[in-house]
């Protein structure tokens, strides 16, 4: 008798668990790619815990071997009418999970790197937000190893456009097709904004003239934090910043002199000459020219200029924001969100491949200017404690980029940027182009607060203003 009861209860448990796997959205996603479709976990309960706010995570299978990881959060307010924002981490080859958990997502990684807290200043307060790990190989996205060794920005643009086609074709997300679309990013991601933005607009033209079919991308805004997209122009400002930023002199006068001589050296060691040679070389022509230039410029020159300071936040050497790798490497967490394989916070092969081909040392200023001139609402921002994307270079770019607003930017002074009456920095704005320098913040501006403002409050205001009003203003 007792053994029958035991068997019955075993059966009952088995039935319950099968039924559970059919209806439990957290039971994971198919392990095999489904080319041309999304594999999705809906409402995993991870990160966004605001009641009633929809989220989905999973893969867009570009082919049987290329799967792009995404995480979508519906806007906490009025999702049907809110814009759709794409966040792309820069790095190069760094996961967008950093932006999600360290800066602007619905939750923040805690100091223990293994738990999270709800973020009241998440960008999905005002927008539907889509985080994508790209190029393939970065974060949770995966693909063949040989592919990682030869990625270019143009290929990355094609992959992301293809992903968006799958996304908009999916019945869960097709309602966002016509939403105002934005590309928001930082540091090297400025190059993604430049290349992807122009590619998306060209694809829209091709759809309009019937040469391809697809869903047009309704690109309306671009946001770039501490953007580096013209190293030849921007690199000299690393010296200026090292000598005279608001916080500390980063290196000795002796080192500045040595590095200046190295920059201008007329023999083969000259950094300026090496970058110029790379600029003059096409990707296929001579990889070694650009590879040598990248090594000499970044490792030999730039990396000397911040001394022993943290180049993302020169005010402190604390490990902040905390790493997301321990949290995202947890197998139980991965199963909940449908992630497969190793979490690659930064994929060095992808990084090398972008650097080696000279993609890193390219001038994207004309492409950025094209987008601005087409009236796409554009925001540049910089934390004043950021060395890498320093405000000195940003503020010269405002008047040197070949835009329709060059004169206006030159004539408009920087004035106070307030958030609810608290001073957050200085800004200027001409037509659809805005710039803000945030006081006290490091590179990842959304991770900082200060001066009676909470972490992320300033970033949410400039984001919201740009996507809803087309430019920023003091409040
Ligand atoms: C987390 O670490 C940062 C930087 O070390 C520190 O300023 C902050 O107070 C810490 N937060 C908590 C809740 O301990
Ligand atoms: C992570 O990167 C390593 C090489 O850096 C690679 O072997 C591995 O396949 C990558 N993981 C994924 C999920 O792509
Ligand atoms: C369609 O538009 C694309 C992008 O602007 C252009 O390159 C192509 O020549 C156009 N094709 C036709 C048939 O007009
Ligand atoms: C976002 O901007 C709109 C105006 O465009 C405003 O009504 C709303 O309060 C703002 N939201 C936040 C969170 O700042």
């Amino acid at each position: 008798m007792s053994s029958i009861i035991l068997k019955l209860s075993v059966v009952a448990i088995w039935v319950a668990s099968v039924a559970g796997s059919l209806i439990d959205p957290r039971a994971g996603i198919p392990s095999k790619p489904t080319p041309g479709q999304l594999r999705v976990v809906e409402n995993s309960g991870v990160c966004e815990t605001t009641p009633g706010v929809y989220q989905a995570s999973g893969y867009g299978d570009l082919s049987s071997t290329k799967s792009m990881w995404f995480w979508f959060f519906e806007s906490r307010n009025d999702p049907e009418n809110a814009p759709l924002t794409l966040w792309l981490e820069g790095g190069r080859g760094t996961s967008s999970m950093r932006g999600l958990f360290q800066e602007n997502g619905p939750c923040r990684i805690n100091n223990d790197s293994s738990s999270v807290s709800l973020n009241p200043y998440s960008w999905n307060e005002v927008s539907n937000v889509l985080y994508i790990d790209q190029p393939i190989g970065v974060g949770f996205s995966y693909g063949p190893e040989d592919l990682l060794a030869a990625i270019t920005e143009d290929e990355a643009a094609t992959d992301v456009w293809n992903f968006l086609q799958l996304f908009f074709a999916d019945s869960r997300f097709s309602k966002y097709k016509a939403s105002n679309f934005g590309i928001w990013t930082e540091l090297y991601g400025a190059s993604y904004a430049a290349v992807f933005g122009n590619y998306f607009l060209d694809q829209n033209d091709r759809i309009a003239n019937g040469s391809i079919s697809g869903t047009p991308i309704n690109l309306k805004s671009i946001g770039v934090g501490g953007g580096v997209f013209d190293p030849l122009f921007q690199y000299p400002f690393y010296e200026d910043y090292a000598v005279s930023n608001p916080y500390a002199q980063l290196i000795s006068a002796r080192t500045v002199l040595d590095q200046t001589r190295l920059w201008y050296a007329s023999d083969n060691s000259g950094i300026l000459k090496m970058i110029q040679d790379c600029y003059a070389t096409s990707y296929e022509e001579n990889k070694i020219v650009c590879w040598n230039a990248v090594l000499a410029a970044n490792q030999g020159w730039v990396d000397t200029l911040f001394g022993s300071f943290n180049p993302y936040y020169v005010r402190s050497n604390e490990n902040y924001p905390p790493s997301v790798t321990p949290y995202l490497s947890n197998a139980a967490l991965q199963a909940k969100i449908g992630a497969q394989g190793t979490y690659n916070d930064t994929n060095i092969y992808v990084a090398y491949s972008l650097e080696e081909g000279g993609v890193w040392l390219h001038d994207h200023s004309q492409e950025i200017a094209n987008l601005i001139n087409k009236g796409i609402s554009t925001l540049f921002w910089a934390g004043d404690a950021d060395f890498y994307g320093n405000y000195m270079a940003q503020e010269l770019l405002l008047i040197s980029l070949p835009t329709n607003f060059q004169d206006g930017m030159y004539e408009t002074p920087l004035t106070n940027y307030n958030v609810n009456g608290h001073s957050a920095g200085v800004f200027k704005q001409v037509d659809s182009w805005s710039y803000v320098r945030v006081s006290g913040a490091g590179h990842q501006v959304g991770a900082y607060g200060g001066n009676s403002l909470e972490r992320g409050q300033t970033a949410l205001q400039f984001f919201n203003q740009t996507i809803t009003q087309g430019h920023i203003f003091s409040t």
Side-chain angles (χ1 to χ4, degrees):
M1 186 67 188
S2 67
S3 87
I4 287 172
I5 288 172
L6 188 67
K7 272 183 193 149
L8 279 176
S9 64
V10 167
V11 168
I13 288 167
W14 181 79
V15 168
S17 71
V18 167
S21 74
L22 291 176
I23 56 168
D24 183 352
R26 276 165 289 177
I29 58 173
S31 56
K32 289 246 162 22
T34 52
Q37 294 186 346
L38 305 180
R39 284 174 289 154
V40 173
V41 175
E42 293 180 274
N43 298 318
S44 65
V46 174
C47 190
E48 177 56 283
T49 50
T50 309
V53 177
Y54 176 87
Q55 65 162 306
S57 49
Y59 290 95
D61 295 319
L62 306 180
S63 70
S64 59
T65 55
K66 280 163 76 176
S67 296
M68 193 170 275
W69 170 254
F70 76 97
W71 203 330
F72 170 83
F73 298 97
E74 184 188 72
S75 177
R76 287 173 180 165
N77 297 292
D78 199 11
E80 307 292 328
N81 297 308
L84 174 63
T85 302
L86 174 65
W87 175 265
L88 299 172
E89 203 70 35
R92 40 256 176 244
T94 301
S95 167
S96 297
M97 300 302 98
R98 283 213 204 163
L100 198 174
F101 289 97
Q102 296 182 329
E103 272 196 86
N104 50 45
C107 69
R108 288 185 186 282
I109 189 80
N110 292 334
N111 283 357
D112 62 7
S113 278
S114 62
S115 60
V116 296
S117 309
L118 201 70
N119 176 13
Y121 300 101
S122 173
W123 287 7
N124 81 323
E125 280 287 325
V126 296
S127 177
N128 301 295
V129 187
L130 177 61
Y131 296 85
I132 290 181
D133 275 344
Q134 66 83 44
I136 296 287
V138 168
F140 286 124
S141 292
Y142 58 86
E145 290 283 314
D146 55 346
L147 184 143
L148 308 185
I151 195 97
T152 65
E153 284 166 341
D154 292 339
E155 287 157 354
T158 309
D159 282 350
V160 172
W161 188 85
N162 285 335
F163 171 85
L164 291 171
Q165 298 301 308
L166 303 188
F167 183 79
F168 287 128
D170 188 289
S171 59
R172 286 162 286 212
F173 307 108
S174 51
K175 60 184 167 194
Y176 302 114
K177 267 185 200 178
S179 306
N180 286 348
F181 189 87
I183 303 175
W184 287 65
T185 184
E186 59 195 12
L187 203 61
Y188 173 75
S191 303
Y192 295 142
V195 175
F196 295 14
N198 284 282
Y199 178 68
F200 291 179
L201 295 180
D202 284 349
Q203 290 292 79
N204 290 353
D205 289 346
R206 292 187 187 101
I207 293 167
N209 72 20
S211 52
I212 61 166
S213 62
T215 302
I217 311 289
N218 188 21
L219 184 64
K220 291 284 190 240
S221 74
I222 298 279
V224 176
V228 178
F229 53 86
D230 183 3
L232 189 58
F233 178 86
Q234 292 180 251
Y235 275 20
F237 294 96
Y238 286 134
E239 288 198 345
D240 296 65
Y241 189 87
V243 173
S244 68
N245 66 71
Y247 304 104
Q249 183 175 329
L250 307 184
I251 48 171
S252 70
R254 177 74 256 166
T255 310
V256 179
L257 265 181
D258 289 345
Q259 295 307 92
T260 305
R261 285 184 181 136
L262 183 56
W263 178 263
Y264 288 111
S266 55
D267 64 11
N268 287 337
S269 71
I271 306 295
L272 172 60
K273 186 175 175 303
M274 291 174 99
I275 300 180
Q276 282 169 337
D277 287 348
C278 175
Y279 266 48
T281 308
S282 78
Y283 176 73
E284 286 77 17
E285 251 176 349
N286 198 344
K287 286 189 175 188
I288 205 74
V289 171
C290 291
W291 183 234
N292 286 341
V294 166
L295 288 182
N298 289 3
Q299 290 173 26
W301 195 77
V302 176
D303 288 0
T304 311
L305 292 173
F306 53 83
S308 58
F309 288 79
N310 176 351
Y312 295 100
Y313 185 61
V314 300
R315 301 174 73 190
S316 153
N317 266 324
E318 280 169 347
N319 181 24
Y320 180 84
S323 168
V324 294
T325 300
Y327 179 74
L328 292 174
S329 300
N330 180 293
L333 185 282
Q334 291 179 358
K336 271 193 196 172
I337 61 176
Q340 296 174 351
T342 323
Y343 172 68
N344 281 337
D345 191 52
T346 294
N347 188 312
I348 54 161
Y349 297 112
V350 172
Y352 286 165
S353 141
L354 290 172
E355 290 176 344
E356 181 185 45
V359 175
W360 170 248
L361 291 180
H362 267 181
D363 177 11
H364 288 295
S365 45
Q366 186 62 55
E367 289 151 291
I368 291 275
N370 286 349
L371 297 172
I372 294 171
N373 288 341
K374 285 185 173 159
I376 291 171
S377 302
T378 302
L379 172 71
F380 282 8
W381 73 90
D384 73 357
D386 177 21
F387 165 88
Y388 274 140
N390 71 68
Y391 68 88
M392 293 173 178
Q394 302 300 318
E395 287 164 23
L396 262 295
L397 283 168
L398 298 179
I399 53 174
S400 72
L401 282 187
T403 69
N404 304 336
F405 309 126
Q406 243 178 319
D407 292 348
M409 277 290 174
Y410 182 75
E411 284 152 14
T412 307
L414 287 162
T415 51
N416 283 337
Y417 185 67
N418 291 352
V419 178
N420 296 340
H422 301 286
S423 169
V426 289
F427 85 111
K428 62 165 92 174
Q429 170 261 321
V430 178
D431 207 293
S432 52
W433 192 15
S434 307
Y435 165 75
V436 59
R437 183 207 305 171
V438 181
S439 306
H443 179 70
Q444 294 175 283
V445 169
Y448 297 89
N451 197 23
S452 305
L453 293 165
E454 291 185 56
R455 270 194 295 176
Q457 205 177 345
T458 302
L460 177 58
Q461 174 172 293
F462 64 57
F463 171 67
N464 184 37
Q465 291 176 334
T466 307
I467 62 170
T468 61
Q469 312 284 308
H471 62 90
I472 67 170
F473 48 94
S474 200
T475 61

